[in-house]
Amino acid sequence: MGIRFILMVNKQGQTRLAQYYEWLTLEERRALEGEIVRKCLARNEQQCSFVEHRNYKIVYRRYASLFFLVGVDNDENELAILEFIHLLVETMDRHFGNVCELDIMFHLEKAHFMLEEMVMNGSIVETSKANILSPIQLMDKAS
Amino acid sequence: MAMHGMRGLSVFISDIRNCQNKEQERQRIDKELGNVRNRFKNEKGLSPYEKKKYVWKMLYIYMLGYDVDFGHMEAVSLISAPKYPEKQVGYIVTSCLLNENHDFLRLAINTVRNDIIGRNETFQCLALTMVGNIGGREFAESLAPDVQKLLLSSSCRPLVRKKAALCLLRLFRKNPDVVNVDGWADRMAQLLDERDLGVLTSSMSLLVALVSNNHEAYWSCLPKCVKTMERLARNQDIPQEYTYYGIPSPWLQVKTMRALQYFPTIEDPYTRRTLFEVLQRILMGTDVVKNVNKNNASHAVLFEALALVMHLDAEKEMMSQCVALLGKFIAVREPNIRYLGLENMTRMLMVTDVQEIIKRHQAQIITSLKDPDISIRRRALDLLYGMCDVTNAKDIVEELLQYLSSADFTMREELSLKAAILAEKFAPDLSWYVDVILQLIDKAGDFISDDIWFRVVQFVTNNDDLQPYAAAKVKEYLEKPAVHETMVKVSAYILGEYSHLLARRPGCSPKEIFAILHEKLPTVSTTTIPILLSAYAKILMHTQPPDQELQSQIWAIFNKYESCIDAEIQQRAVEYFALCQKGAALMDILAEMPKFPERKSSLIKRAEYSEADTAEQSAIKLRAQQQPSNALVVTDQPPANGATSPVPVGPLSLVMVPSMITTEDHTSTDQALSQQNGSLTKVDPQHPSADLLGDLLGPLAIEGPPGATVQSEHNAVSGLEGGPDAVDGSAIVPVEEQRNTVQPIGNIAERFHALCLKDSGVLYEDPYIQIGIKAEWRAHHGRLVLFLGNKNTAPLVSVQALMLPPAHLKMELSLVPDTIPPRAQVQCPLEVVNLRPSRDVAVLDFSYKFGTNMVNVKLRLPAVLNKFLQPIPVPAEEFFPQWRSLSGPPLKLQEVVRGVRPMPLPEMANLLNSFRLMICPGLDPNPNNLVASTTFYSESTHAMLCLIRIETDPADRTQLRMTLASGDPTLTFELKEFIKEQLITIPTAPPQSPAPAPPPAAQATPQIPPNDPAALLAGLLS
C-alpha cells in the first residue's frame, strides 16, 4: 500500500515527527523507531539511501541535522520516494523560509498539516507546492 | 511567531528540548500529563482553544514514545467543534492517536458524515482525510456512497475530489463491496480523463488498488493509462507546478506505469505501439545529469519503465536495451543507482533469454557482494543466487563461501542457506558438494540447520566412491583446534560408518580415529554424545583383529554413561554395551547403513516451490518474494511411502533421532535383537520422525494428499474469483432463498461465467461449504466432478444434490453422500451427454444442513453450448464451397445485432476464441470482418461444422452483422443466439441468460456510457 510511515529524526536520534499510515502500538513504534534510527544513522554518505528492515524498505535522506526516513513496502519505487522527501523539504522551505529542525519542532502542527496535504493513507495526494500550502496560507491569513 | 498564542505548547516543547537526560524528560512529561489530565477533568471550564492546545501536547508526548491513555475523548470531541482550527486539530490528532477499531471513532461517525456531505470544502477535506487514514469497515458501510459521489461530482473542486479518491481507496480495502465493479470500471476510466493532476494522481492510486484486485474488470482503463503516459511524456498540458526539476510529475508517471503492470498484457496493437513509443523514449532519453534531484527523478521514471518493459516481455531488441542499461547501472559508483540496478537485474532473471547476457556481468556483481554497504551486498547476493546455474555454480558458491567468513552476522544465515541450496542444486561433482557443505559448517556452523548435514550424510551413504573421501575430509576438519559441534556430529556419523575404509592410511587406525573423536566429547552437548557413542560402537566393531585396549577404553565409556541422566545417552550406552558382549551378532546389527531411498531434498524443493510461486506472479510482486529467505522448516511428517521404506530406524540406528526415544522403542529393541538377522527393517510408519534423516521432508503443502491439492487449487481460484462484490447471487437464487441466513461468498453468477470459459474452479462457496468443479469434454460427452468440501470442524448433514437437466442433456450424477465429515472433501462424478444443440442450462439443486441452518441453492452448471465446440481451422478452399452450399435460412441465418458492447476487433476475436470459435484470419478481405469456424458435437448432429462471419462497422461499434451457417437449422439458430448473448452483455454482469430463474429486469440492457474508452479507441483504430 505504499508509504507505511514517515519519520523525522535528528542526528541524536530524537523523533521530531512521526506519522504512521498503518496502526502500530506504542511499543511497536518505539521498537521500530529505535531499530531504524540505529541502522540508518550509522550509515555514511557513500552508502545508498535504501535500507531493508523487517518487511519494510526504508528510504532516507539527510538534511543538515535532520534525517527524513520513509518506510515503504517492497512495492514502491525507491527513487520516487527519495525525491518525494525532497519535495516535502522544499515545500517546508517555501513555507518557513530556510527551514530547519527547530521550525519543524516548534511548528509541529504545520508540519502535520503539510504532510496531510501530501500523503493520505500511504499514497501521494498532491505534489504541487502551491496546492499543498494553500490551506495553511488561508489559515494564517484568517488568524 | 506562527504559534498564534499556543505559547504553552512552545514552552513545553522547549522545556523538553532543554532536558539533560531521559529521566528529566520523563519527569517533565509526567508533570505535563498530570496537568493536562486535571484540566480535562473539569472539562466545562475549558475553551476550545485550550482543548486544542492540550490535545497537541498529547500528540507531542505520544510522538516521543510515551503512553497517553486519556484525553482521546477530548480529541474526538474537537471534531464537532464549529470552527475550523479546532476541528482540524480534532481530525488530525484523532487520526494519529486512534486506530480504526477504537470505540470513540464510532461516536464521531455522524459528525464526520455531516462534514463530508456538507458544503464546507475545508471540512470535507478534513473529514475525507481522516476517514482515508483510519476509516474502518463501519465507515466504509456508511460513507462509501457519499465519498463516491464527491469523487465523481463535477461541481466539486479538485481539492475535495483528490481526497475523495484516496478515501475511497481506503474504504475499498476495508470493504471491497463498496466498489461495485460493474458500474465502477467505466467511472474509473472516466476519472482517468481528468485534467487536474492532483485528482489524477490520487485516482491512479485508486486504480492500482482496483486492478491489482481484479484487472479483468478494468480493461477499459488500460488505454487511458497509456494516454496519461503519453500526455506526461510529451509534457502536454502539464502546469509548471507539477513539473519537478523539469520532469512532468515523476510520481504520476511512476504510478501510471505501476498500474499498467497489473494488466497481464496489452493486446490492442495501437495502444501497445503508443506505449512502447513512450517507453522507448524514456529508455533512450534519460541521461545522467549533474543535479541530484533531477537525476533521481528521471531515474525513478526510468526504473519504472524498465519494470514495465520486462513485464510486457517486449520485443527482443528492447529487452536487450534494458539489460544493457542495467549492466551499466550495476557498474556505476552512485550507490542508489547501483542498488536499483542489482535489484532490477534480479527481476530481469525472470525474463527468458537474458540470463546469458546477465552472466556476462558476474564479475561486476561479485564486486558488489564485497561492497561496504550491506544494502548493496544483499541485492548482489540475491542476484547471484538467482543467476546461478551449472555453468557458474562453482564460481558463485566459492565466492559466497569466501564472503561468509567476513559477512555480517545478520547475513550469514541467509548466505549459508543459499550456498547450501546452490551447491546441491548445481554440484558438478559430489566431492565438491561435500567440500562446500563442510566448509559451510566450518565457517558458519551456528547457521547450519540439521537438514543440511542430514543431507550430506544421505549423499555420502548413497555414493560408495564418496565415502572414503568424505571420511578423510571430516577427519581433517576434526584435527583443527576449534571445531563446531555440527561438524562433530557429521564427522562422528561419517567416521563411524566409513573410517574403516581409511584404515590403511597413516593416522587413520581405529585407535587414532577414536582418539580424535573422543577428544571432542567433553566439548559437546548432550544431543551430540549419542552420535559419538554410536560411532564408538561402530569403530569397535570394525576393528579387526580386535584391539583389547581400544575395547576396554570404549567399554569403560559405555559403562560410565550407563547412569547418565539423559535418557538417550543412557539407553545407547546400555544397549551398545550389551551388544558388544554378543560377539558375532554385533557384526550384523552394527552393519553399515543401507542406502537411503532417492528423494528430492527439501532444500531444493523449497527453492523450486518458491520459484514456481513467483513465476506466476506479476513482476511487481516478485520484489516481495525476494525478501531474505526464511530458514528451512522441517515437518515431522511421515513419508507417503513410509510403510514400505527400507530405512532402518530402530534405536540402534546410528542416526541420532532425539524424538525416537520412547518406552515403546525399548521393547522394539528386543524384538529387533531377537530377529537376529540384523537387518533391522522394522519401520513404524506412524512414527512422527521415522524418516527424519531419510529426507528433509517438504512442507505438507507441497506433498499433501491429492485431495488437499485440489482443495488448495480451488482456494486459489476462489481467491481470484471472489471479486470485490461478494453477495450477488440473486440472479440464480430464487427470491424465497434470500431468507437463507447463510450468505454465499463471492458472486455466484460471476463464478458461473468464469466456469463457462474454463474447466475447473469454484462453483459456489459459503462459510460452510465449497463446491468446486472440474470438467473434461470430449466430443458430445462431458465428465464433470463436483468437489464438495466441508470447511468446518462439524459435519454437514442432509446433503442433497438434485440434477435438473434441460431436455437436451442427459446427465447422471453419482451418489452424493448424506453427510460430509468435518474438513472432508467428497468427489461426485457427473456424466453429461449432449443430445442436440440448445442454449438451455442445467441446474443443480443443492441443499444441506449445518446446525439449524437449512441451506438450499440452485446453481447453474457450466455444461453450456460452447463446451461441446471444438475449434477447427478451415482453409479457404474448403471454407468457401461450404459457405456457398449452405445457402439461406434455415441453415444459414443472418442478423444485424445492435447494442453490441463496443470493443476493438482483437478483443472480439479473443472473446470468440475463448468460446472455442476459431478465428480464420485472411479469409475475409475486409479487415473489419471476422470469420470463424468450429465443430459442434451432439448425439443427433454428430460432429457438425459451423461457420461464422461477423461484419463490424468501424464507424459504429455498437452494431454488427452476423451470419451463421451449419448443416442443422437448430444448431445455426442456437449458436447465433449464443454468440449474440456474448456480444451484447458484459460477461462479468449477471446476464439475461437462459437460466431457469428469471433474472432481475435491471440487467436487461447493457449500459453504454457515451465516452466508453473502447469505443473511443475503436474510432482511432479504424
Side-chain angles (χ1 to χ4, degrees), chain B residues 42-161:
Chain B
N42 29 15
E43 204 191 311
K44 280 189 193 114
L46 279 185
S47 67
Y49 156 73
E50 282 174 304
K51 249 199 213 172
K52 180 176 91 173
K53 186 175 75 183
Y54 292 130
V55 166
W56 270 118
K57 279 186 184 172
M58 280 165 41
L59 181 67
Y60 186 74
I61 291 171
Y62 184 69
M63 190 191 79
L64 291 178
Y66 295 90
D67 201 8
V68 180
D69 54 359
F70 65 94
H72 295 166
M73 191 63 205
E74 281 75 12
V76 174
S77 71
L78 277 177
I79 289 178
S80 20
K83 281 213 201 117
Y84 184 75
E86 282 79 33
K87 191 184 266 297
Q88 183 189 34
V89 176
Y91 272 119
I92 290 187
V93 176
T94 298
S95 57
C96 288
L97 289 181
L98 304 188
N99 78 0
E100 64 173 75
N101 300 319
H102 204 289
D103 282 341
F104 289 168
L105 272 187
R106 215 167 290 153
L107 304 176
I109 203 160
N110 262 329
T111 316
V112 174
R113 177 153 195 268
N114 285 335
D115 282 342
I116 285 181
I117 58 176
R119 296 187 171 219
N120 187 326
E121 269 181 350
T122 46
F123 288 8
Q124 285 179 316
C125 288
L126 287 175
L128 288 169
T129 307
M130 189 198 75
V131 176
N133 283 329
I134 58 166
R137 208 180 161 89
E138 268 178 71
F139 280 84
E141 278 157 10
S142 57
L143 299 179
D146 299 320
V147 176
Q148 287 189 7
K149 222 188 277 165
L150 287 182
L151 174 57
L152 299 169
S153 156
S154 53
S155 58
C156 260
R157 286 210 297 154
L159 85 142
V160 177
R161 294 177 55 218

